[in-house]
Amino acid sequence: MRATRVRPTGIERSFGDHEMIVTKTDPRGVITYANDVFLRVSALTEAEAVGQPHNLIRHPDMPRAVFKLLWDVLAERREIFAYVLNLAADGAHYWVLAHVTPSYDGGGRVVGYHSNRRRPAPAAIAAVSDLYAILRAAEARHHHTPDAVAAGHQALQDVLAERGMAYDELVWSLTNGSGR
């Protein structure tokens, strides 16, 4: 197992337009499957990834409020699309447009989550980076984690209200190049 605290190097990694990162987790977010693209881009071996919490690749510049939204949406048994900055095990970072959806057993019970990630367009990364800077600034004003998450969530709601959009509309406007 590698060190648990990886320092970002500032080196950006990418992957091909034709490639897709795929992981599956259990209901707690522990990785149960990772494809070769994930392993290559995250600089992890299968043994290092499987069995670990998915936040293993969480970049410190990601607003906590985005993950709160993600888990809130998944708890409602809905899918979510989100731009995510990840941290590889070697300190490189990489952006993804993630699609996360619950997986169900035959009885309709959530047994985990499936995430497909595509390479986002540079313009979308620039736009979402501006948004995430606003959320991080709101979170940074609080030292107590729940207060920071609440502040980031409120900042996101304020941006959405200002733009007259729901979260999904914002993501798709960034994806389609109209959401600066």
Coordinates of all heavy atoms in Angstrom, one line a residue, residues 66-131:
V66 N -19.5 19.3 -3.3 CA -19.8 18.5 -4.5 C -20.0 17.0 -4.1 O -20.9 16.3 -4.6 CB -18.7 18.6 -5.6 CG1 -19.0 17.7 -6.8 CG2 -18.6 20.1 -6.1
F67 N -19.2 16.5 -3.2 CA -19.4 15.1 -2.8 C -20.6 15.0 -1.9 O -21.3 13.9 -1.9 CB -18.1 14.6 -2.0 CG -17.0 14.5 -3.0 CD1 -15.9 15.4 -2.8 CD2 -16.9 13.6 -4.0 CE1 -14.8 15.3 -3.7 CE2 -15.9 13.5 -4.8 CZ -14.8 14.4 -4.7
K68 N -21.0 16.0 -1.1 CA -22.2 16.0 -0.4 C -23.4 15.9 -1.4 O -24.3 15.0 -1.2 CB -22.4 17.2 0.5 CG -23.8 17.3 1.1 CD -24.1 18.6 1.8 CE -25.4 18.8 2.4 NZ -26.5 17.9 2.1
L69 N -23.4 16.7 -2.4 CA -24.4 16.6 -3.4 C -24.5 15.2 -4.1 O -25.6 14.6 -4.2 CB -24.2 17.7 -4.5 CG -25.2 17.7 -5.7 CD1 -26.6 18.0 -5.2 CD2 -24.7 18.6 -6.8
L70 N -23.3 14.7 -4.4 CA -23.3 13.4 -5.0 C -23.9 12.3 -4.1 O -24.8 11.6 -4.6 CB -21.8 13.0 -5.3 CG -21.6 11.7 -6.0 CD1 -20.4 11.8 -7.0 CD2 -21.2 10.6 -5.1
W71 N -23.5 12.3 -2.9 CA -24.1 11.3 -2.0 C -25.6 11.5 -1.7 O -26.3 10.6 -1.5 CB -23.3 11.2 -0.7 CG -22.0 10.5 -0.9 CD1 -20.8 11.0 -0.9 CD2 -21.9 9.1 -1.2 NE1 -19.8 10.0 -1.2 CE2 -20.5 8.8 -1.3 CE3 -22.8 8.0 -1.3 CZ2 -20.0 7.5 -1.6 CZ3 -22.3 6.7 -1.5 CH2 -20.9 6.5 -1.7
D72 N -26.0 12.8 -1.6 CA -27.4 13.1 -1.4 C -28.2 12.6 -2.6 O -29.3 12.0 -2.4 CB -27.6 14.6 -1.3 CG -27.1 15.2 0.0 OD1 -26.8 14.4 0.9 OD2 -27.1 16.4 0.2
V73 N -27.8 12.8 -3.8 CA -28.5 12.4 -5.0 C -28.5 10.8 -5.1 O -29.6 10.2 -5.3 CB -27.9 13.0 -6.3 CG1 -28.4 12.3 -7.6 CG2 -28.1 14.5 -6.3
L74 N -27.4 10.2 -4.8 CA -27.4 8.7 -4.8 C -28.3 8.2 -3.8 O -28.9 7.1 -4.0 CB -26.0 8.2 -4.6 CG -25.0 8.5 -5.8 CD1 -23.6 8.1 -5.5 CD2 -25.5 7.8 -7.1
A75 N -28.4 8.8 -2.6 CA -29.3 8.3 -1.5 C -30.7 8.4 -2.0 O -31.6 7.6 -1.5 CB -29.1 9.2 -0.3
E76 N -31.0 9.3 -2.9 CA -32.4 9.3 -3.5 C -32.6 8.3 -4.6 O -33.6 8.4 -5.4 CB -32.7 10.7 -4.0 CG -32.7 11.8 -2.9 CD -32.7 13.2 -3.4 OE1 -32.6 13.4 -4.6 OE2 -32.8 14.1 -2.5
R77 N -31.6 7.5 -4.9 CA -31.6 6.4 -5.9 C -31.7 7.0 -7.3 O -32.3 6.5 -8.2 CB -32.8 5.5 -5.6 CG -32.7 4.8 -4.3 CD -33.9 4.1 -3.9 NE -34.2 2.9 -4.7 CZ -33.9 1.7 -4.4 NH1 -33.3 1.4 -3.3 NH2 -34.2 0.7 -5.2
R78 N -31.0 8.2 -7.4 CA -30.9 8.8 -8.7 C -29.5 8.8 -9.2 O -28.5 8.7 -8.4 CB -31.4 10.3 -8.6 CG -32.9 10.4 -8.3 CD -33.4 11.8 -8.3 NE -32.7 12.7 -7.4 CZ -32.2 13.9 -7.7 NH1 -32.3 14.4 -9.0 NH2 -31.6 14.6 -6.8
E79 N -29.3 9.0 -10.5 CA -27.9 9.2 -11.1 C -27.5 10.6 -11.0 O -28.3 11.5 -10.9 CB -27.9 8.7 -12.5 CG -28.7 9.6 -13.4 CD -28.8 9.1 -14.9 OE1 -28.1 8.1 -15.2 OE2 -29.5 9.7 -15.7
I80 N -26.2 10.8 -11.1 CA -25.6 12.2 -11.1 C -24.5 12.2 -12.1 O -23.7 11.3 -12.2 CB -25.2 12.6 -9.7 CG1 -24.8 14.1 -9.7 CG2 -24.2 11.7 -9.1 CD1 -24.6 14.7 -8.3
F81 N -24.3 13.4 -12.7 CA -23.2 13.7 -13.5 C -22.4 14.8 -12.8 O -23.1 15.8 -12.3 CB -23.6 14.2 -14.9 CG -24.1 13.1 -15.8 CD1 -25.4 12.7 -15.7 CD2 -23.3 12.5 -16.7 CE1 -25.9 11.7 -16.5 CE2 -23.8 11.4 -17.5 CZ -25.1 11.1 -17.4
A82 N -21.1 14.8 -12.7 CA -20.4 15.8 -12.0 C -18.9 15.8 -12.5 O -18.4 14.8 -12.9 CB -20.3 15.5 -10.5
Y83 N -18.4 17.0 -12.6 CA -17.0 17.2 -12.9 C -16.2 17.0 -11.6 O -16.5 17.6 -10.6 CB -16.8 18.6 -13.5 CG -17.3 18.8 -14.9 CD1 -18.6 19.3 -15.1 CD2 -16.6 18.3 -16.0 CE1 -19.1 19.4 -16.4 CE2 -17.1 18.4 -17.2 CZ -18.3 19.0 -17.4 OH -18.8 19.1 -18.7
V84 N -15.2 16.2 -11.7 CA -14.4 15.9 -10.5 C -12.9 15.9 -10.9 O -12.5 15.4 -11.9 CB -14.7 14.4 -10.0 CG1 -13.9 14.1 -8.8 CG2 -16.2 14.3 -9.7
L85 N -12.2 16.6 -10.0 CA -10.7 16.6 -10.1 C -10.2 15.5 -9.1 O -10.5 15.5 -7.9 CB -10.2 18.0 -9.6 CG -8.7 18.1 -9.5 CD1 -8.0 17.9 -10.9 CD2 -8.3 19.5 -8.9
N86 N -9.5 14.6 -9.7 CA -8.9 13.4 -8.9 C -7.4 13.6 -8.7 O -6.8 14.2 -9.5 CB -9.3 12.1 -9.6 CG -10.7 11.8 -9.6 OD1 -11.4 11.9 -8.5 ND2 -11.3 11.3 -10.7
L87 N -7.0 12.9 -7.7 CA -5.5 12.9 -7.4 C -5.0 11.4 -7.6 O -5.5 10.5 -6.9 CB -5.3 13.3 -6.0 CG -3.9 13.4 -5.5 CD1 -3.1 14.4 -6.3 CD2 -3.8 13.7 -4.0
A88 N -4.0 11.3 -8.5 CA -3.4 10.0 -8.7 C -2.5 9.7 -7.5 O -2.0 10.6 -6.8 CB -2.7 9.9 -10.0
A89 N -2.1 8.4 -7.4 CA -1.2 8.0 -6.3 C 0.2 8.6 -6.4 O 0.9 8.6 -5.4 CB -1.2 6.4 -6.3
D90 N 0.6 9.0 -7.6 CA 1.9 9.6 -7.8 C 1.8 11.1 -7.7 O 2.8 11.8 -8.0 CB 2.5 9.2 -9.1 CG 1.7 9.6 -10.3 OD1 0.6 10.2 -10.2 OD2 2.1 9.2 -11.5
G91 N 0.7 11.7 -7.3 CA 0.5 13.1 -7.2 C 0.0 13.9 -8.4 O -0.3 15.1 -8.3
A92 N 0.0 13.2 -9.5 CA -0.6 13.8 -10.7 C -2.1 14.0 -10.5 O -2.7 13.4 -9.6 CB -0.4 13.0 -11.9
H93 N -2.7 14.9 -11.2 CA -4.2 15.1 -11.1 C -4.8 14.9 -12.5 O -4.1 15.0 -13.5 CB -4.5 16.5 -10.6 CG -4.1 17.6 -11.5 ND1 -2.9 18.2 -11.4 CD2 -4.8 18.2 -12.5 CE1 -2.8 19.2 -12.3 NE2 -4.0 19.2 -13.0
Y94 N -6.1 14.6 -12.5 CA -6.8 14.4 -13.7 C -8.3 14.8 -13.5 O -8.9 14.5 -12.5 CB -6.6 13.0 -14.3 CG -7.1 11.9 -13.4 CD1 -8.4 11.3 -13.5 CD2 -6.3 11.4 -12.4 CE1 -8.8 10.3 -12.7 CE2 -6.7 10.4 -11.5 CZ -7.9 9.8 -11.7 OH -8.3 8.8 -10.9
W95 N -8.8 15.4 -14.5 CA -10.3 15.8 -14.5 C -11.1 14.7 -15.2 O -10.6 14.2 -16.2 CB -10.5 17.1 -15.2 CG -10.1 18.3 -14.4 CD1 -8.9 19.0 -14.5 CD2 -10.9 19.0 -13.5 NE1 -8.9 20.1 -13.6 CE2 -10.2 20.1 -13.0 CE3 -12.2 18.8 -13.0 CZ2 -10.7 21.0 -12.1 CZ3 -12.7 19.7 -12.1 CH2 -12.0 20.8 -11.6
V96 N -12.3 14.6 -14.7 CA -13.2 13.6 -15.3 C -14.6 14.3 -15.3 O -14.9 15.1 -14.4 CB -13.3 12.3 -14.6 CG1 -11.9 11.6 -14.7 CG2 -13.7 12.4 -13.2
L97 N -15.4 13.8 -16.2 CA -16.9 14.1 -16.1 C -17.4 12.7 -15.7 O -17.4 11.8 -16.5 CB -17.5 14.5 -17.5 CG -19.0 14.6 -17.5 CD1 -19.6 15.5 -16.4 CD2 -19.5 15.0 -18.9
A98 N -17.9 12.6 -14.5 CA -18.3 11.4 -13.9 C -19.8 11.2 -14.0 O -20.6 12.2 -13.8 CB -17.9 11.3 -12.4
H99 N -20.2 10.0 -14.3 CA -21.6 9.6 -14.3 C -21.7 8.5 -13.3 O -21.1 7.4 -13.4 CB -22.1 9.1 -15.7 CG -23.4 8.5 -15.7 ND1 -23.7 7.4 -16.4 CD2 -24.5 8.9 -15.0 CE1 -25.0 7.1 -16.2 NE2 -25.5 8.0 -15.4
V100 N -22.4 8.7 -12.2 CA -22.5 7.7 -11.1 C -23.9 7.3 -10.9 O -24.8 8.2 -10.9 CB -21.9 8.3 -9.7 CG1 -21.9 7.2 -8.7 CG2 -20.6 8.9 -9.9
T101 N -24.1 6.0 -10.9 CA -25.5 5.5 -10.8 C -25.6 4.4 -9.8 O -24.6 3.6 -9.7 CB -26.0 5.1 -12.1 OG1 -27.4 4.7 -12.0 CG2 -25.2 4.0 -12.8
P102 N -26.7 4.2 -9.1 CA -26.8 3.1 -8.2 C -26.9 1.8 -8.9 O -27.5 1.7 -10.0 CB -28.1 3.4 -7.4 CG -28.4 4.8 -7.6 CD -27.8 5.2 -8.9
S103 N -26.4 0.7 -8.3 CA -26.6 -0.6 -8.9 C -27.6 -1.4 -7.9 O -27.5 -1.2 -6.7 CB -25.3 -1.4 -8.9 OG -24.3 -0.7 -9.7
Y104 N -28.5 -2.2 -8.5 CA -29.5 -2.8 -7.7 C -29.4 -4.3 -7.8 O -29.0 -4.8 -8.8 CB -30.9 -2.4 -8.2 CG -31.1 -0.9 -8.2 CD1 -30.9 -0.1 -9.3 CD2 -31.5 -0.2 -7.0 CE1 -31.1 1.3 -9.3 CE2 -31.7 1.1 -7.0 CZ -31.5 1.9 -8.1 OH -31.7 3.2 -8.1
D105 N -29.8 -5.0 -6.8 CA -30.0 -6.4 -6.9 C -31.4 -6.8 -7.4 O -32.1 -5.9 -7.7 CB -29.7 -7.1 -5.5 CG -30.7 -6.8 -4.4 OD1 -31.8 -6.3 -4.7 OD2 -30.4 -7.2 -3.3
G106 N -31.7 -8.1 -7.5 CA -32.9 -8.5 -8.0 C -34.2 -8.0 -7.3 O -35.3 -7.9 -7.8
G107 N -34.0 -7.7 -6.0 CA -35.1 -7.2 -5.2 C -35.2 -5.7 -5.1 O -36.0 -5.1 -4.4
G108 N -34.3 -5.0 -5.9 CA -34.4 -3.5 -6.0 C -33.6 -2.8 -4.9 O -33.7 -1.6 -4.7
R109 N -32.8 -3.6 -4.2 CA -32.0 -3.0 -3.1 C -30.7 -2.5 -3.7 O -30.1 -3.1 -4.6 CB -31.7 -4.1 -2.1 CG -31.0 -3.6 -0.8 CD -31.0 -4.8 0.2 NE -30.2 -5.9 -0.4 CZ -29.0 -6.2 0.0 NH1 -28.4 -5.6 0.9 NH2 -28.4 -7.2 -0.6
V110 N -30.2 -1.3 -3.3 CA -29.0 -0.8 -3.8 C -27.8 -1.6 -3.2 O -27.7 -1.8 -2.0 CB -28.8 0.7 -3.3 CG1 -27.4 1.2 -3.7 CG2 -29.9 1.6 -4.0
V111 N -27.0 -2.2 -4.1 CA -25.9 -3.0 -3.7 C -24.5 -2.4 -4.0 O -23.5 -2.9 -3.7 CB -26.0 -4.4 -4.4 CG1 -27.2 -5.2 -3.9 CG2 -26.0 -4.3 -5.9
G112 N -24.6 -1.2 -4.6 CA -23.3 -0.5 -4.8 C -23.6 0.7 -5.8 O -24.7 1.1 -6.1
Y113 N -22.5 1.2 -6.4 CA -22.5 2.2 -7.3 C -21.6 2.0 -8.5 O -20.5 1.4 -8.3 CB -22.2 3.6 -6.7 CG -23.1 3.8 -5.5 CD1 -22.7 3.6 -4.2 CD2 -24.4 4.3 -5.8 CE1 -23.6 3.8 -3.2 CE2 -25.3 4.5 -4.7 CZ -24.9 4.2 -3.4 OH -25.7 4.4 -2.4
H114 N -22.0 2.4 -9.7 CA -21.2 2.2 -10.9 C -20.9 3.6 -11.4 O -21.7 4.5 -11.5 CB -22.1 1.5 -11.9 CG -21.4 1.1 -13.2 ND1 -21.3 -0.1 -13.6 CD2 -20.7 1.9 -14.1 CE1 -20.6 -0.2 -14.8 NE2 -20.3 1.1 -15.1
S115 N -19.6 3.8 -11.7 CA -19.2 5.1 -12.2 C -18.4 5.0 -13.5 O -17.4 4.2 -13.5 CB -18.3 5.8 -11.1 OG -17.9 7.1 -11.6
N116 N -18.9 5.7 -14.5 CA -18.1 5.9 -15.7 C -17.6 7.3 -15.8 O -18.4 8.2 -15.5 CB -19.1 5.6 -16.9 CG -19.7 4.2 -16.9 OD1 -19.0 3.3 -16.6 ND2 -20.9 4.1 -17.3
R117 N -16.4 7.5 -16.2 CA -15.8 8.8 -16.3 C -15.2 9.0 -17.7 O -14.5 8.2 -18.2 CB -14.8 9.0 -15.2 CG -15.4 9.5 -13.9 CD -15.6 8.4 -12.9 NE -14.3 7.8 -12.5 CZ -14.2 6.8 -11.8 NH1 -15.3 6.2 -11.4 NH2 -13.1 6.2 -11.5
R118 N -15.6 10.1 -18.3 CA -15.0 10.5 -19.6 C -14.1 11.7 -19.4 O -14.2 12.5 -18.4 CB -16.2 10.9 -20.5 CG -17.0 9.7 -20.9 CD -18.2 10.2 -21.8 NE -18.9 9.0 -22.3 CZ -19.8 8.4 -21.6 NH1 -20.2 8.7 -20.4 NH2 -20.5 7.3 -22.1
R119 N -13.3 12.0 -20.4 CA -12.4 13.1 -20.4 C -13.2 14.4 -20.7 O -13.9 14.4 -21.8 CB -11.3 12.9 -21.4 CG -10.2 14.0 -21.3 CD -9.1 13.6 -22.1 NE -9.3 14.4 -23.4 CZ -8.4 14.4 -24.4 NH1 -7.3 13.6 -24.3 NH2 -8.6 15.1 -25.4
P120 N -13.2 15.4 -19.9 CA -14.0 16.6 -20.2 C -13.3 17.5 -21.1 O -12.1 17.4 -21.2 CB -14.2 17.2 -18.8 CG -13.1 16.7 -18.0 CD -12.7 15.4 -18.5
A121 N -14.0 18.4 -21.7 CA -13.4 19.4 -22.6 C -12.7 20.4 -21.8 O -13.1 20.8 -20.7 CB -14.5 20.0 -23.5
P122 N -11.6 21.0 -22.3 CA -10.9 22.0 -21.6 C -11.7 23.2 -21.2 O -11.6 23.7 -20.1 CB -9.8 22.4 -22.6 CG -9.6 21.2 -23.4 CD -10.9 20.6 -23.6
A123 N -12.7 23.6 -22.0 CA -13.5 24.8 -21.7 C -14.4 24.4 -20.5 O -14.6 25.3 -19.6 CB -14.4 25.2 -22.9
A124 N -14.9 23.2 -20.4 CA -15.7 22.8 -19.2 C -14.9 22.8 -18.0 O -15.3 23.2 -16.9 CB -16.3 21.4 -19.5
I125 N -13.6 22.3 -18.1 CA -12.7 22.3 -16.9 C -12.5 23.7 -16.4 O -12.5 24.0 -15.2 CB -11.4 21.6 -17.3 CG1 -11.6 20.1 -17.5 CG2 -10.4 21.8 -16.1 CD1 -10.4 19.4 -18.1
A126 N -12.2 24.7 -17.3 CA -12.0 26.1 -17.0 C -13.2 26.6 -16.2 O -13.1 27.3 -15.2 CB -11.7 26.9 -18.2
A127 N -14.4 26.3 -16.8 CA -15.6 26.9 -16.2 C -15.9 26.3 -14.8 O -16.2 27.0 -13.8 CB -16.8 26.6 -17.1
V128 N -15.7 25.0 -14.7 CA -16.0 24.3 -13.4 C -14.9 24.7 -12.4 O -15.2 24.7 -11.2 CB -16.2 22.8 -13.6 CG1 -14.9 22.0 -13.7 CG2 -17.1 22.3 -12.5
S129 N -13.7 24.9 -12.8 CA -12.7 25.3 -11.9 C -13.0 26.7 -11.3 O -12.8 26.9 -10.1 CB -11.3 25.5 -12.7 OG -10.9 24.2 -13.1
D130 N -13.6 27.6 -12.0 CA -14.1 28.9 -11.5 C -15.2 28.6 -10.4 O -15.2 29.2 -9.4 CB -14.6 29.8 -12.6 CG -13.5 30.3 -13.5 OD1 -12.3 30.1 -13.2 OD2 -13.8 30.7 -14.6
L131 N -16.1 27.8 -10.8 CA -17.2 27.5 -9.8 C -16.6 26.8 -8.6 O -17.0 27.2 -7.4 CB -18.2 26.5 -10.5 CG -19.2 25.9 -9.5 CD1 -20.1 27.0 -8.9 CD2 -20.1 24.9 -10.2

